[in-house]
Amino acid sequence: MKSGTFGAWGVLLIRSFAFLLLAAPAAGFAASPVLAQNVSAPEPATQEVETPTSAADEILPDGTAMPSPPAPPPIATIRPVDPRTPIITDEEFDTAIPSLDDAPLESIEQWQNDEDVQEQTGDAAAKQVEQTTEEQANPALRDGDAVEILADPPVTDPMLDDPLPPIDSFDAEPPPEPTQAADEREPGKVGYVLRIEGLDPAASPDVATNADGDTYRNARNRFYDLSALDDGDGRADSRAVVNQRARADRQLLIDILTSEGFFDATVRLQQQRGGGAGGDEADASGNSNTAGQDEPLSVVFTVVPGRRYYLGQIAFDAPQVSPGDLITSNFVPKIGDPIVADTILAAEANIAVKLPENGYPFATVGQRDILLDGETGLGDYTLPVVPGARSVFGDLRSEGNEAFSAEHVAILRRFKTGDLYDERLVDDLRAALVATGLLSTVSVTPVPGNGVSADGTAYADLLVKQEAGPARTLAASAGYGTGQGFRAEGSWTHRNLFPPEGSLAVAGVLGTLEQAASVTLARANAGRRDRNMEVSLSALHSNYEAFDAYTGRLAAVISRVSTPIWQKRLTWSAGVELLATSEREFDIARVNPERRIYYVGALPLQVGFDRSDNLLNPSKGYRLNLRLSPEASLGTGKQFYARATLDASYYFPVNDSLVIAARARVGTISGIERIDLAPSRRFYGGGGGSVRGFGYQQLGPKDADANPIGGRSTNEAAIEGRYRFGNFGVVGFIDAGQVYESSIPKFDNWRFGVGLGGRFYTNFGPVRLDIATPINRQAGESLVSVYVSIGQAF
């Protein structure tokens, strides 16, 4: 259909619709009163209307007449219109319709677009009018916030639709820097002075009932140990840093006072310039004026400790235990003692420890309750305790990546099934498992067992969770000593080649004066806890000034020895030793040295008593060690003799950094002449493990060429001061000793050596470097001797 045709039909439709609308009243449609006023019509015919029955004629059930309803309001009377009368003439209608002037009608698409634009414009205008009316009533509603200080700009601000101006039109110059206070211009330039007021016995109105001087002093000392202000040494980068530290210290001071039983304590924080009135005062927010800007801040804590609270009633919410006072006797605080947090916590921890040590492996200590009475100053203390079942040791269970079975674990324990449970014995078993060196991780925990013992006590089994560690190890060490030269030692060990704990070790020594190789088979905890068995075969070449020896040795020993992890108080060993040695020594009768073969059998015995605190780096205690070896020499006929050596050492800690250590040694070989004794079996003195300041084996009898020939007795002594700082230390020492040809030490003709040493402390022991020189040095003796090794000298 063409647009012109549609336009004609559109005019026709409009005219028809208007005619119908205007003719509606004639067809019985209601007309508005406005239109009715402009309509004239003949008088309507009179009609009779039947009057309804009055309500008064109606009788209610109780016999009374129903009241009449009120009269209806009057209504407008509209005269009827003759349908033949025209509402509007054709001329008036044509005049009301706009002329098309025969112009072409727009397309339907353009007509629809115009309609949409008019609709959107109308809606937007209506919304703008509505929004503007609401915003005028309450401008804060523009952003949905009904309560605000400043009203929002109009959402329909026309400037929002304008394009932004170019950036070149803006003033890009930065604003001027704000003026800084003098105490914030440079880092670390804010000085302050810390002062506490009121935390002294005089501040309490009743010292006898609140606290003594020690309590206040302890609180002050503890505060200064933890204070951020005190740690800052009176300097800070800005006033804000001072405020931050002050607020933290104020809370710290309150916590410390509360932990001492002052639950009502208050602490007031003040800051002022110069410590006087009229200065630059400031509150915790850091607001201040500029008066006295160059003077340090005075940070003052004014403390009001208030009343100190004491223990009132002490009660334990727990069932009956055995013995009956197991809980109460291990709670140290008593009624009337001050409520001190450290004391209370220590007492609760003591209960948690003592219950498992006395047959209650599953005991738990609950959360305490302290009810404070502000009038009496007392606090009623209640502690819930759940002891669990009283138990005896049950079975051993093992799980995980096991290094050995539960049967071998049973060998390591120091208790039997049915013994009363004791947590200390469980800790001991755990330490023994760690000392094997075969586990990377291990735990031992009690679990409820099955059944009960003969007396009705429950069983508590032990669950051992193992994680086997690497069984193979490589080890190496090196050292240097004057007269001994460089010496390096390495070994390869499989520590569980023959389970359980059966090891194979292959070792070698390479040095300037000594070379050796050995193979050792050993079993730790052989059938019994701490009992070790060892069989070794070795070959050794020693080339010292005292002798030149090629030695083969076969030995077996059973022992109880200490390790760095498991240091034992009592150690012992017993064994058998067979050796053959070809040695060359100086023979005075023959002038020239000759080589001889010696066959020696020995039964070495050793017993030690160790009360020191560390195996490699002792700082207190003492040690005693006795070695006795009955021996037989078969080189020049049967010769029976005995070797004996006694060592003693003592360690005294002067303070945490300084330790005084001393040692003494005496030795004897009785029953054989020196000429019949293999040179390698004689006593020699000098070296890092003997008398420092002298070369290895250089102290004692010598031949015509000043070569040491050894003796049958010896005596030695040493004292040193060990000062440690961090991981480093220095040592000053004096050593003394002598070797004698006689079998009994003479304790005369002592030789002395003095020196200094350095220590580097590691987690496996100290590395030491000692430098010493002999006193009254003789011809042929070195001026300086150097010793490097691991561990202290003694």
Side-chain angles (χ1 to χ4, degrees), residues 18-289:
F19 174 79
L20 290 175
L21 180 63
L22 296 177
F29 294 104
S32 67
V34 177
L35 294 177
Q37 292 178 359
N38 296 324
V39 176
S40 14
E43 293 290 333
T46 303
Q47 298 181 0
E48 294 183 359
V49 180
E50 183 179 0
T51 304
T53 304
S54 172
D57 299 336
E58 298 292 335
I59 303 300
L60 297 176
D62 58 358
T64 60
M66 178 180 293
S68 300
I75 60 174
T77 301
I78 300 178
R79 289 175 298 177
V81 179
D82 187 353
R84 294 171 299 179
T85 303
I87 301 302
I88 186 172
T89 62
D90 291 342
E91 291 77 5
E92 293 176 342
F93 181 81
D94 293 336
T95 304
I97 299 300
S99 176
L100 297 178
D101 296 333
D102 296 330
L105 296 175
E106 70 273 14
S107 64
I108 190 169
E109 291 83 1
Q110 183 178 357
W111 176 74
Q112 290 178 345
N113 291 337
D114 292 342
E115 291 293 329
D116 293 340
V117 170
Q118 292 178 1
E119 181 178 359
Q120 293 175 1
T121 303
D123 293 344
K127 291 180 180 179
Q128 181 175 358
V129 171
E130 179 181 359
Q131 185 180 33
T132 302
T133 302
E134 294 179 356
E135 291 172 357
Q136 289 176 352
N138 188 357
L141 294 177
R142 291 169 187 164
D143 62 354
D145 188 359
V147 179
E148 55 187 13
I149 299 175
L150 297 177
D152 300 305
V155 177
T156 56
D157 191 342
M159 293 187 66
L160 297 176
D161 298 328
D162 295 342
L164 294 175
I167 193 170
D168 296 339
S169 63
F170 285 95
D171 183 7
E173 182 179 356
E177 293 291 337
T179 303
Q180 290 182 313
D183 59 358
E184 297 186 2
R185 291 174 184 171
E186 298 181 19
K189 292 302 182 181
V190 180
Y192 59 86
V193 177
L194 174 61
R195 189 168 75 251
I196 301 177
E197 296 179 351
L199 196 58
D200 53 71
S204 175
D206 189 349
V207 176
T209 59
N210 281 272
D212 55 18
D214 290 340
T215 300
Y216 289 111
R217 280 189 292 271
N218 292 339
R220 290 174 66 94
N221 293 337
R222 190 171 184 181
F223 170 78
Y224 283 119
D225 288 341
L226 303 174
S227 168
L229 287 169
D230 187 69
D231 188 57
D233 296 328
R235 308 300 299 176
D237 292 342
S238 67
R239 185 69 173 271
V241 174
V242 178
N243 296 331
Q244 183 180 15
R245 295 175 183 175
R247 287 192 293 269
D249 279 3
R250 176 181 177 274
Q251 185 59 49
L252 171 65
L253 197 51
I254 293 175
D255 293 342
I256 291 175
L257 291 171
T258 301
S259 69
E260 292 291 338
F262 299 94
F263 297 100
D264 300 331
T266 60
V267 179
R268 181 184 177 188
L269 169 61
Q270 290 180 308
Q271 297 183 38
Q272 60 185 14
R273 284 285 180 185
D280 179 21
E281 297 184 355
D283 56 16
S285 63
N287 299 322
S288 64
N289 55 43

Side-chain angles (χ1 to χ4, degrees), residues 492-576:
W492 173 90
T493 304
H494 193 304
R495 294 171 293 157
N496 204 27
L497 183 62
F498 313 104
E501 297 191 75
S503 64
L504 170 66
V506 179
V509 175
L510 182 62
T512 56
L513 302 178
E514 184 179 8
Q515 303 84 40
S518 65
V519 177
T520 303
L521 296 174
R523 183 178 296 280
N525 300 304
R528 185 176 180 180
R529 165 85 173 265
D530 298 329
R531 184 169 63 188
N532 301 336
M533 298 183 66
E534 179 181 298
V535 178
S536 63
L537 177 65
S538 63
L540 171 66
H541 173 229
S542 302
N543 185 18
Y544 298 108
E545 293 182 5
F547 58 86
D548 182 6
Y550 293 89
T551 304
R553 177 178 177 270
L554 175 64
V557 63
I558 182 172
S559 64
R560 183 179 190 269
V561 298
S562 285
T563 65
I565 297 178
W566 188 256
Q567 185 176 356
K568 301 175 179 65
R569 178 175 299 181
L570 179 65
T571 59
W572 55 266
S573 66
V576 59

